[in-house]
Amino acid sequence: MKVTVVSRSGREIVKGGVELNDSATVSDLQEAIHRRTKKYYPSRQRLTLPLQSGTNAKPIVLNPKKTVKDYCDGNSDNLTVVFKDLGPQVFYSTLFFWEYLGPLIIYPIFYYFDVYQYFGYEGKRIIHPVQTYAMYYWCFHYFKRIMETFFVHRFSHATSPLSNVFRNCAYYWSFGSFIAYYVNHPLYTPVSDLQMKIGFGIGLICQIANFYCHILLRNLRSPDGNGGYQIPRGFLFNIVTCANYTTEIYQWLGFNIATQTVAGYVFVAVAAFIMTNWALAKHRRLKKLFDGKEGRPKYPRRWVILPPFI
C-alpha cells in the first residue's frame, strides 16, 4: 500500500510517498519516513488523518502500535497522513534529571560557601540548626525526585520537546537560588524550635506519602509505559484525584512553616497554581473517560487536589 505524507499546508514531505506492506504498523511508517528524511526521527513525528474542510473537530492522531490499514477508510491501497514536526526531542528522564539536578547542587552552595560576600555582606555568618535541617530536607527531596525519575516513574510518552529542558531548568534553578539565598542568609532569623519541628515533621510525612503515591501511579502502567488512563485507587487516591500533587504541595508547605521565608511561600503559591491547573485538567479528563456509560466504570466522587477547597 502507498502512504502519502503531507504537511498541514499540503506540501509533500516524502516525495513519491512511502510504500508499505499490508501488515505495516504506524511505527513502521514512522521509521520509513525517518529513513527517507533523516532529520525526522520517530519521536519527532506527529501523524494525523486529514480533516475535512470546514470541520472544527480535532484531528485523529495515529497510534504507533496500530496498523496503517486500521486508518484506511474503504481504500486499503492508499492513505494520506498529515505530518507535523514536533521539533528536537529529549527523553523525559533527561528532562527531569536536569531540572532537579540544578536545585540539588545550587542550594548547598549557599549553605557551605561564603557567597554572601559577593552580595556586599562582610559580617560573620552564624549557621542556625534550622538552616542545616533545611539543607538536608531540600537535598533529600531533590535526590528522591531524581531516583524516582530513573527507578519509579513510567512515562506514557517517551520524549519531550528540547525547549522544555530550558524552560523547566529556568523555573527550578531560579527558584532554588531564590529560596537558598534567603534561608541561608547571614541575617536570617530562625523560627521557634517547636515551629521548626512541626514544619519539618509535616514535610517529611508528606514526602513519604508522595513517594507512595508515585508507586501507586507507577503500577497503573506496564513497564513500557502503556496502560492508558485508569482510575487511580488506594491510599489518598480514594479521596483525592491528584494525591501526588496534594502531598507535593503540603511537603513544601511544611518546609516553609519550618523556615518561614517570603521566597519559599512564593514558590509554594506558584507551584500550587501550576499543579492545580494540571489536576483540574486531569480530573475533567478522567470524569469524561469514565462516565458510567456503555459498560465503562463511573469515576467516583473525589476532591481534585486540595480538600476541602478544591
Side-chain angles (χ1 to χ4, degrees):
M1 64 178 300
K2 180 180 178 181
V3 180
T4 303
V5 185
V6 298
S7 66
R8 286 182 290 181
S9 64
R11 179 178 61 87
E12 195 171 19
I13 299 297
V14 180
K15 299 297 183 183
V18 177
E19 293 289 343
L20 298 171
N21 60 51
D22 290 346
S23 61
T25 64
V26 174
S27 180
D28 295 329
L29 171 59
Q30 291 177 315
E31 290 289 351
I33 294 172
H34 181 212
R35 286 194 297 270
R36 295 282 298 275
T37 62
K38 303 301 181 184
K39 176 182 177 181
Y40 303 122
Y41 44 87
S43 61
R44 188 167 175 165
Q45 302 174 26
R46 181 176 182 262
L47 303 178
T48 61
L49 295 180
L51 281 176
Q52 297 291 335
S53 59
T55 61
N56 294 322
K58 290 184 178 180
I60 297 174
V61 180
L62 275 60
N63 186 333
K65 298 187 182 304
K66 289 188 174 183
T67 65
V68 176
K69 291 191 70 173
D70 290 337
Y71 295 98
C72 294
D73 185 16
N75 188 345
S76 59
D77 295 326
N78 292 279
L79 178 69
T80 298
V81 298
V82 179
F83 170 92
K84 180 181 178 182
D85 177 18
L86 298 177
Q89 303 284 302
V90 296
F91 289 114
Y92 265 103
S93 56
T94 302
L95 168 66
F96 287 169
F97 172 76
W98 285 108
E99 69 183 36
Y100 297 145
L101 182 66
L104 181 61
I105 293 175
I106 290 171
Y107 196 100
I109 291 175
F110 282 87
Y111 176 83
Y112 284 109
F113 299 99
D114 189 17
V115 297
Y116 292 95
Q117 62 178 317
Y118 302 109
F119 296 98
Y121 183 84
E122 298 179 356
K124 183 179 179 181
R125 182 181 171 212
I126 298 175
I127 298 178
H128 302 282
V130 66
Q131 293 172 308
T132 301
Y133 296 141
M135 193 271 295
Y136 290 148
Y137 182 100
W138 181 279
C139 291
F140 171 75
H141 170 78
Y142 282 104
F143 178 77
K144 164 182 165 290
R145 295 304 296 267
I146 290 175
M147 292 298 101
E148 288 174 339
T149 295
F150 291 108
F151 301 110
V152 176
H153 294 321
R154 289 173 176 169
F155 304 104
S156 57
H157 299 286
T159 62
S160 172
L162 177 63
S163 58
N164 286 349
V165 175
F166 301 103
R167 182 197 64 188
N168 289 18
C169 285
Y171 171 80
Y172 280 99
W173 294 29
S174 59
F175 264 120
S177 303
F178 187 40
I179 296 170
Y181 175 84
Y182 284 102
V183 174
N184 296 290
H185 199 280
L187 299 180
Y188 172 79
T189 303
V191 300
S192 68
D193 189 60
L194 177 61
Q195 182 174 335
M196 177 189 72
K197 291 177 179 178
I198 291 173
F200 284 136
I202 293 172
L204 287 173
I205 291 171
C206 289
Q207 289 230 43
I208 295 169
N210 180 258
F211 172 74
Y212 187 56
C213 287
H214 288 158
I215 293 293
L216 293 177
L217 291 175
R218 175 185 187 272
N219 293 335
L220 294 178
R221 296 189 182 278
S222 60
D224 60 0
N226 291 322
Y229 286 105
Q230 299 184 46
I231 299 176
R233 302 184 189 277
F235 192 45
L236 297 176
F237 285 109
N238 291 334
I239 305 170
V240 187
T241 293
C242 294
N244 51 322
Y245 296 157
T246 304
T247 51
E248 178 81 10
I249 293 170
Y250 284 143
Q251 73 182 20
W252 284 118
L253 183 61
F255 176 86
N256 284 294
I257 290 172
T259 55
Q260 199 84 348
T261 64
V262 172
Y265 281 113
V266 170
F267 175 63
V268 170
V270 173
F273 176 78
I274 293 172
M275 285 186 276
T276 297
N277 285 331
W278 291 345
L280 289 169
K282 183 175 182 179
H283 189 76
R284 287 192 296 267
R285 186 162 54 242
L286 290 173
K287 288 186 69 176
K288 182 178 180 180
L289 288 172
F290 302 103
D291 54 8
K293 300 177 181 178
E294 299 178 359
R296 293 184 292 269
K298 186 173 179 61
Y299 193 74
R301 183 178 177 83
R302 292 176 179 173
W303 298 104
V304 178
I305 183 171
L306 292 174
F309 307 107
I310 303 175

